[in-house]
Amino acid sequence: FWSSTKVGVVEFGGVGLTGSRVPRVLMAKPGLDGHDRGAKVVARALQDAGFQVIYTGIRQTPEMIVEKARAETVDAIGLSILSGAHLDLLPKIMGLLEEDNLSNIVVFSGGIIPKEDYTDLQSAGIKGLFGPGASLQEIVKFVSEATGFVGSEN
């Protein structure tokens, strides 16, 4: 139910999104974590900014996430994780993306991730990390710039 067909320029918090096609983002909840409010809020912010968002729902395995990313031909994957399993699950997802020649997909993550784990996750290929208190504008701007779907900023 998180999808959009908007094309053109859509403003969200000063970020103008332009493009001839709708950029696609997969939002996923890896592991056994069942709390998805944050993922849904971020999904809605991205949708409001003009992205087409595909939400997988909760309790997704790394294999399920990578398969859905392949099937949906996404430009980015957002991973919301609160369970503490980020050092196991996120590098596994990155490895599967690499194996499937999908390493061009921008991967970002948010949730409860200790700052001391950021370096390991960035080394695994996670391009953006957002902790508690990150603004929706900051996330939308990152995804826009990282995927190359940036318009003008006001």
Side-chain angles (χ1 to χ4, degrees):
F1 55 71
W2 295 102
S3 65
S4 173
T5 57
K6 299 173 187 172
V7 178
V9 178
V10 179
E11 294 294 327
F12 180 84
V15 176
L17 182 66
T18 64
S20 59
R21 73 173 183 83
V22 178
R24 298 167 62 84
V25 178
L26 181 72
M27 289 297 298
K29 293 286 300 174
L32 298 177
D33 182 6
H35 300 281
D36 64 351
R37 179 175 284 176
K40 288 179 178 178
V41 169
V42 171
R44 183 56 189 245
L46 290 167
Q47 181 183 20
D48 288 348
F51 288 90
Q52 182 177 20
V53 179
I54 301 98
Y55 178 61
T56 65
I58 60 175
R59 299 185 180 103
Q60 300 292 299
T61 66
E63 292 81 7
M64 292 164 70
I65 292 167
V66 172
E67 176 55 36
K68 189 70 167 174
R70 181 187 318 103
E72 295 288 348
T73 317
V74 299
D75 302 293
I77 300 171
L79 301 167
S80 172
I81 190 156
L82 304 171
S83 67
H86 52 277
L87 290 177
D88 294 321
L89 294 171
L90 302 189
K92 170 84 172 170
I93 291 166
M94 298 307 296
L96 291 170
L97 288 169
E98 180 79 26
E99 286 175 20
D100 286 356
N101 295 316
L102 298 173
S103 57
N104 61 312
I105 296 173
V106 174
V107 180
F108 63 101
S109 184
I112 307 300
I113 301 172
K115 292 225 185 266
E116 57 265 19
D117 294 341
Y118 279 23
T119 301
D120 289 338
L121 294 173
Q122 289 165 335
S123 294
I126 306 294
K127 299 294 184 201
L129 291 162
F130 302 94
S135 72
L136 294 174
Q137 181 179 358
E138 177 185 0
I139 296 167
V140 168
K141 182 177 181 186
F142 167 81
V143 177
S144 297
E145 291 175 353
T147 59
F149 291 101
V150 179
S152 61
E153 283 194 49
N154 295 336

PDB file of all heavy atoms in Angstrom, residues 14 22 37 39-40 42 44-46 50 54 56 61 63 78 80 90 95 99 101 125 127 130 141 143 147 154:
ATOM      1  N   GLY A  14      11.871  21.254   1.512  1.00  0.00           N
ATOM      2  CA  GLY A  14      12.903  21.974   0.776  1.00  0.00           C
ATOM      3  C   GLY A  14      13.616  21.143  -0.264  1.00  0.00           C
ATOM      4  O   GLY A  14      14.432  21.657  -1.003  1.00  0.00           O
ATOM      5  N   VAL A  22       9.774   7.534 -12.017  1.00  0.00           N
ATOM      6  CA  VAL A  22       9.622   7.560 -10.570  1.00  0.00           C
ATOM      7  C   VAL A  22      10.703   6.685  -9.945  1.00  0.00           C
ATOM      8  O   VAL A  22      10.795   5.492 -10.249  1.00  0.00           O
ATOM      9  CB  VAL A  22       8.221   7.050 -10.155  1.00  0.00           C
ATOM     10  CG1 VAL A  22       8.069   7.036  -8.650  1.00  0.00           C
ATOM     11  CG2 VAL A  22       7.139   7.902 -10.799  1.00  0.00           C
ATOM     12  N   ARG A  37       6.543   1.124  12.950  1.00  0.00           N
ATOM     13  CA  ARG A  37       6.035   2.495  12.807  1.00  0.00           C
ATOM     14  C   ARG A  37       7.060   3.399  12.129  1.00  0.00           C
ATOM     15  O   ARG A  37       6.728   4.162  11.225  1.00  0.00           O
ATOM     16  CB  ARG A  37       5.634   3.070  14.152  1.00  0.00           C
ATOM     17  CG  ARG A  37       5.130   4.512  14.007  1.00  0.00           C
ATOM     18  CD  ARG A  37       4.615   5.060  15.290  1.00  0.00           C
ATOM     19  NE  ARG A  37       3.306   4.456  15.523  1.00  0.00           N
ATOM     20  CZ  ARG A  37       2.588   4.660  16.598  1.00  0.00           C
ATOM     21  NH1 ARG A  37       3.061   5.422  17.558  1.00  0.00           N
ATOM     22  NH2 ARG A  37       1.423   4.104  16.740  1.00  0.00           N
ATOM     23  N   ALA A  39       9.529   2.670  10.100  1.00  0.00           N
ATOM     24  CA  ALA A  39       9.665   2.317   8.682  1.00  0.00           C
ATOM     25  C   ALA A  39       8.510   2.889   7.876  1.00  0.00           C
ATOM     26  O   ALA A  39       8.698   3.394   6.771  1.00  0.00           O
ATOM     27  CB  ALA A  39       9.733   0.803   8.516  1.00  0.00           C
ATOM     28  N   LYS A  40       7.314   2.833   8.439  1.00  0.00           N
ATOM     29  CA  LYS A  40       6.142   3.362   7.733  1.00  0.00           C
ATOM     30  C   LYS A  40       6.180   4.883   7.632  1.00  0.00           C
ATOM     31  O   LYS A  40       5.780   5.448   6.615  1.00  0.00           O
ATOM     32  CB  LYS A  40       4.866   2.894   8.413  1.00  0.00           C
ATOM     33  CG  LYS A  40       4.587   1.421   8.181  1.00  0.00           C
ATOM     34  CD  LYS A  40       3.316   0.982   8.883  1.00  0.00           C
ATOM     35  CE  LYS A  40       2.998  -0.470   8.608  1.00  0.00           C
ATOM     36  NZ  LYS A  40       1.789  -0.910   9.331  1.00  0.00           N
ATOM     37  N   VAL A  42       8.953   6.748   7.517  1.00  0.00           N
ATOM     38  CA  VAL A  42       9.966   7.055   6.501  1.00  0.00           C
ATOM     39  C   VAL A  42       9.420   6.733   5.112  1.00  0.00           C
ATOM     40  O   VAL A  42       9.607   7.509   4.169  1.00  0.00           O
ATOM     41  CB  VAL A  42      11.292   6.317   6.782  1.00  0.00           C
ATOM     42  CG1 VAL A  42      12.262   6.456   5.610  1.00  0.00           C
ATOM     43  CG2 VAL A  42      11.925   6.835   8.066  1.00  0.00           C
ATOM     44  N   ARG A  44       6.375   6.842   4.102  1.00  0.00           N
ATOM     45  CA  ARG A  44       5.413   7.887   3.722  1.00  0.00           C
ATOM     46  C   ARG A  44       6.127   9.181   3.337  1.00  0.00           C
ATOM     47  O   ARG A  44       5.735   9.849   2.382  1.00  0.00           O
ATOM     48  CB  ARG A  44       4.431   8.129   4.870  1.00  0.00           C
ATOM     49  CG  ARG A  44       3.360   9.142   4.538  1.00  0.00           C
ATOM     50  CD  ARG A  44       2.615   8.697   3.272  1.00  0.00           C
ATOM     51  NE  ARG A  44       1.729   9.708   2.797  1.00  0.00           N
ATOM     52  CZ  ARG A  44       0.409   9.571   2.765  1.00  0.00           C
ATOM     53  NH1 ARG A  44      -0.162   8.462   3.175  1.00  0.00           N
ATOM     54  NH2 ARG A  44      -0.328  10.542   2.307  1.00  0.00           N
ATOM     55  N   ALA A  45       7.192   9.535   4.062  1.00  0.00           N
ATOM     56  CA  ALA A  45       7.945  10.741   3.719  1.00  0.00           C
ATOM     57  C   ALA A  45       8.567  10.617   2.329  1.00  0.00           C
ATOM     58  O   ALA A  45       8.535  11.570   1.539  1.00  0.00           O
ATOM     59  CB  ALA A  45       9.025  10.999   4.768  1.00  0.00           C
ATOM     60  N   LEU A  46       9.112   9.456   2.027  1.00  0.00           N
ATOM     61  CA  LEU A  46       9.690   9.229   0.698  1.00  0.00           C
ATOM     62  C   LEU A  46       8.605   9.262  -0.375  1.00  0.00           C
ATOM     63  O   LEU A  46       8.798   9.825  -1.448  1.00  0.00           O
ATOM     64  CB  LEU A  46      10.451   7.907   0.669  1.00  0.00           C
ATOM     65  CG  LEU A  46      11.747   7.883   1.479  1.00  0.00           C
ATOM     66  CD1 LEU A  46      12.258   6.458   1.648  1.00  0.00           C
ATOM     67  CD2 LEU A  46      12.810   8.771   0.834  1.00  0.00           C
ATOM     68  N   GLY A  50       7.904  11.988  -3.717  1.00  0.00           N
ATOM     69  CA  GLY A  50       7.836  11.579  -5.110  1.00  0.00           C
ATOM     70  C   GLY A  50       8.391  10.208  -5.430  1.00  0.00           C
ATOM     71  O   GLY A  50       8.364   9.779  -6.575  1.00  0.00           O
ATOM     72  N   ILE A  54       7.949   0.615  -1.962  1.00  0.00           N
ATOM     73  CA  ILE A  54       7.435  -0.744  -1.801  1.00  0.00           C
ATOM     74  C   ILE A  54       7.786  -1.162  -0.388  1.00  0.00           C
ATOM     75  O   ILE A  54       8.965  -1.194  -0.023  1.00  0.00           O
ATOM     76  CB  ILE A  54       8.072  -1.719  -2.825  1.00  0.00           C
ATOM     77  CG1 ILE A  54       7.803  -1.261  -4.255  1.00  0.00           C
ATOM     78  CG2 ILE A  54       7.567  -3.134  -2.601  1.00  0.00           C
ATOM     79  CD1 ILE A  54       8.917  -0.496  -4.878  1.00  0.00           C
ATOM     80  N   THR A  56       7.846  -4.047   2.475  1.00  0.00           N
ATOM     81  CA  THR A  56       7.804  -5.508   2.541  1.00  0.00           C
ATOM     82  C   THR A  56       7.030  -6.040   3.729  1.00  0.00           C
ATOM     83  O   THR A  56       6.650  -7.206   3.737  1.00  0.00           O
ATOM     84  CB  THR A  56       9.220  -6.100   2.648  1.00  0.00           C
ATOM     85  OG1 THR A  56       9.798  -5.683   3.887  1.00  0.00           O
ATOM     86  CG2 THR A  56      10.090  -5.679   1.488  1.00  0.00           C
ATOM     87  N   THR A  61      13.535 -12.043   5.865  1.00  0.00           N
ATOM     88  CA  THR A  61      14.887 -12.596   5.845  1.00  0.00           C
ATOM     89  C   THR A  61      15.725 -11.792   4.848  1.00  0.00           C
ATOM     90  O   THR A  61      15.180 -11.146   3.938  1.00  0.00           O
ATOM     91  CB  THR A  61      14.893 -14.074   5.403  1.00  0.00           C
ATOM     92  OG1 THR A  61      14.471 -14.141   4.034  1.00  0.00           O
ATOM     93  CG2 THR A  61      13.998 -14.935   6.297  1.00  0.00           C
ATOM     94  N   GLU A  63      17.341 -12.940   2.399  1.00  0.00           N
ATOM     95  CA  GLU A  63      17.028 -13.491   1.075  1.00  0.00           C
ATOM     96  C   GLU A  63      15.727 -12.915   0.524  1.00  0.00           C
ATOM     97  O   GLU A  63      15.633 -12.609  -0.674  1.00  0.00           O
ATOM     98  CB  GLU A  63      16.938 -15.017   1.154  1.00  0.00           C
ATOM     99  CG  GLU A  63      18.268 -15.704   1.442  1.00  0.00           C
ATOM    100  CD  GLU A  63      18.675 -15.712   2.918  1.00  0.00           C
ATOM    101  OE1 GLU A  63      17.875 -15.288   3.789  1.00  0.00           O
ATOM    102  OE2 GLU A  63      19.807 -16.138   3.209  1.00  0.00           O
ATOM    103  N   GLY A  78      15.778   0.718   2.025  1.00  0.00           N
ATOM    104  CA  GLY A  78      15.821   1.245   3.376  1.00  0.00           C
ATOM    105  C   GLY A  78      15.542   0.117   4.352  1.00  0.00           C
ATOM    106  O   GLY A  78      14.553  -0.599   4.205  1.00  0.00           O
ATOM    107  N   SER A  80      14.984  -0.884   8.301  1.00  0.00           N
ATOM    108  CA  SER A  80      14.695  -0.421   9.648  1.00  0.00           C
ATOM    109  C   SER A  80      14.935  -1.577  10.605  1.00  0.00           C
ATOM    110  O   SER A  80      14.361  -2.652  10.450  1.00  0.00           O
ATOM    111  CB  SER A  80      13.244   0.042   9.740  1.00  0.00           C
ATOM    112  OG  SER A  80      12.896   0.330  11.079  1.00  0.00           O
ATOM    113  N   LEU A  90      22.515  -6.895   8.337  1.00  0.00           N
ATOM    114  CA  LEU A  90      22.808  -5.924   7.286  1.00  0.00           C
ATOM    115  C   LEU A  90      23.977  -6.340   6.406  1.00  0.00           C
ATOM    116  O   LEU A  90      23.869  -6.274   5.173  1.00  0.00           O
ATOM    117  CB  LEU A  90      22.994  -4.528   7.880  1.00  0.00           C
ATOM    118  CG  LEU A  90      21.802  -3.975   8.684  1.00  0.00           C
ATOM    119  CD1 LEU A  90      22.021  -2.511   9.037  1.00  0.00           C
ATOM    120  CD2 LEU A  90      20.477  -4.178   7.985  1.00  0.00           C
ATOM    121  N   GLY A  95      26.000  -8.723   1.241  1.00  0.00           N
ATOM    122  CA  GLY A  95      26.657  -9.840   0.555  1.00  0.00           C
ATOM    123  C   GLY A  95      25.767 -10.471  -0.501  1.00  0.00           C
ATOM    124  O   GLY A  95      26.225 -10.796  -1.601  1.00  0.00           O
ATOM    125  N   GLU A  99      26.374 -10.752  -4.515  1.00  0.00           N
ATOM    126  CA  GLU A  99      26.294 -12.034  -5.225  1.00  0.00           C
ATOM    127  C   GLU A  99      25.340 -11.977  -6.413  1.00  0.00           C
ATOM    128  O   GLU A  99      25.563 -12.629  -7.428  1.00  0.00           O
ATOM    129  CB  GLU A  99      25.813 -13.140  -4.280  1.00  0.00           C
ATOM    130  CG  GLU A  99      26.826 -13.602  -3.277  1.00  0.00           C
ATOM    131  CD  GLU A  99      26.252 -14.609  -2.292  1.00  0.00           C
ATOM    132  OE1 GLU A  99      25.211 -15.233  -2.599  1.00  0.00           O
ATOM    133  OE2 GLU A  99      26.853 -14.770  -1.208  1.00  0.00           O
ATOM    134  N   ASN A 101      24.724  -9.365  -8.224  1.00  0.00           N
ATOM    135  CA  ASN A 101      25.070  -8.228  -9.083  1.00  0.00           C
ATOM    136  C   ASN A 101      24.112  -7.059  -8.918  1.00  0.00           C
ATOM    137  O   ASN A 101      23.740  -6.388  -9.889  1.00  0.00           O
ATOM    138  CB  ASN A 101      25.155  -8.663 -10.559  1.00  0.00           C
ATOM    139  CG  ASN A 101      26.276  -9.635 -10.795  1.00  0.00           C
ATOM    140  OD1 ASN A 101      27.386  -9.449 -10.292  1.00  0.00           O
ATOM    141  ND2 ASN A 101      25.995 -10.687 -11.538  1.00  0.00           N
ATOM    142  N   GLY A 125      29.085  -1.672   3.224  1.00  0.00           N
ATOM    143  CA  GLY A 125      28.431  -1.072   2.065  1.00  0.00           C
ATOM    144  C   GLY A 125      27.179  -0.272   2.344  1.00  0.00           C
ATOM    145  O   GLY A 125      26.565   0.251   1.411  1.00  0.00           O
ATOM    146  N   LYS A 127      25.265   2.835   2.882  1.00  0.00           N
ATOM    147  CA  LYS A 127      25.637   4.199   2.496  1.00  0.00           C
ATOM    148  C   LYS A 127      25.122   5.269   3.443  1.00  0.00           C
ATOM    149  O   LYS A 127      25.689   6.347   3.526  1.00  0.00           O
ATOM    150  CB  LYS A 127      25.137   4.505   1.081  1.00  0.00           C
ATOM    151  CG  LYS A 127      25.707   3.595   0.021  1.00  0.00           C
ATOM    152  CD  LYS A 127      27.185   3.801  -0.129  1.00  0.00           C
ATOM    153  CE  LYS A 127      27.722   2.951  -1.257  1.00  0.00           C
ATOM    154  NZ  LYS A 127      29.141   2.723  -1.158  1.00  0.00           N
ATOM    155  N   PHE A 130      20.916   6.259   9.988  1.00  0.00           N
ATOM    156  CA  PHE A 130      20.099   7.265  10.655  1.00  0.00           C
ATOM    157  C   PHE A 130      19.611   6.723  11.989  1.00  0.00           C
ATOM    158  O   PHE A 130      18.923   5.705  12.036  1.00  0.00           O
ATOM    159  CB  PHE A 130      18.907   7.647   9.770  1.00  0.00           C
ATOM    160  CG  PHE A 130      19.330   8.172   8.434  1.00  0.00           C
ATOM    161  CD1 PHE A 130      19.434   7.328   7.341  1.00  0.00           C
ATOM    162  CD2 PHE A 130      19.672   9.495   8.280  1.00  0.00           C
ATOM    163  CE1 PHE A 130      19.852   7.792   6.108  1.00  0.00           C
ATOM    164  CE2 PHE A 130      20.101   9.985   7.050  1.00  0.00           C
ATOM    165  CZ  PHE A 130      20.188   9.130   5.966  1.00  0.00           C
ATOM    166  N   LYS A 141      16.542  13.817   1.774  1.00  0.00           N
ATOM    167  CA  LYS A 141      17.651  14.447   1.054  1.00  0.00           C
ATOM    168  C   LYS A 141      18.741  13.423   0.741  1.00  0.00           C
ATOM    169  O   LYS A 141      19.263  13.380  -0.373  1.00  0.00           O
ATOM    170  CB  LYS A 141      18.225  15.597   1.879  1.00  0.00           C
ATOM    171  CG  LYS A 141      19.342  16.332   1.175  1.00  0.00           C
ATOM    172  CD  LYS A 141      19.853  17.509   1.978  1.00  0.00           C
ATOM    173  CE  LYS A 141      20.954  18.204   1.188  1.00  0.00           C
ATOM    174  NZ  LYS A 141      21.595  19.254   1.948  1.00  0.00           N
ATOM    175  N   VAL A 143      18.466  10.102   0.397  1.00  0.00           N
ATOM    176  CA  VAL A 143      18.018   9.150  -0.615  1.00  0.00           C
ATOM    177  C   VAL A 143      17.967   9.825  -1.987  1.00  0.00           C
ATOM    178  O   VAL A 143      18.370   9.236  -2.996  1.00  0.00           O
ATOM    179  CB  VAL A 143      16.661   8.513  -0.242  1.00  0.00           C
ATOM    180  CG1 VAL A 143      16.164   7.588  -1.339  1.00  0.00           C
ATOM    181  CG2 VAL A 143      16.775   7.755   1.081  1.00  0.00           C
ATOM    182  N   THR A 147      20.644   8.450  -4.829  1.00  0.00           N
ATOM    183  CA  THR A 147      20.097   7.772  -6.006  1.00  0.00           C
ATOM    184  C   THR A 147      20.188   8.622  -7.259  1.00  0.00           C
ATOM    185  O   THR A 147      19.875   8.143  -8.351  1.00  0.00           O
ATOM    186  CB  THR A 147      18.627   7.367  -5.777  1.00  0.00           C
ATOM    187  OG1 THR A 147      17.859   8.530  -5.495  1.00  0.00           O
ATOM    188  CG2 THR A 147      18.494   6.344  -4.656  1.00  0.00           C
ATOM    189  N   ASN A 154      15.332  24.568  -2.007  1.00  0.00           N
ATOM    190  CA  ASN A 154      14.907  25.957  -1.726  1.00  0.00           C
ATOM    191  C   ASN A 154      15.659  26.496  -0.557  1.00  0.00           C
ATOM    192  O   ASN A 154      16.069  25.841   0.301  1.00  0.00           O
ATOM    193  CB  ASN A 154      13.397  25.990  -1.440  1.00  0.00           C
ATOM    194  CG  ASN A 154      12.595  25.601  -2.670  1.00  0.00           C
ATOM    195  OD1 ASN A 154      13.085  25.745  -3.784  1.00  0.00           O
ATOM    196  ND2 ASN A 154      11.401  25.128  -2.460  1.00  0.00           N
TER     197      ASN A 154
END
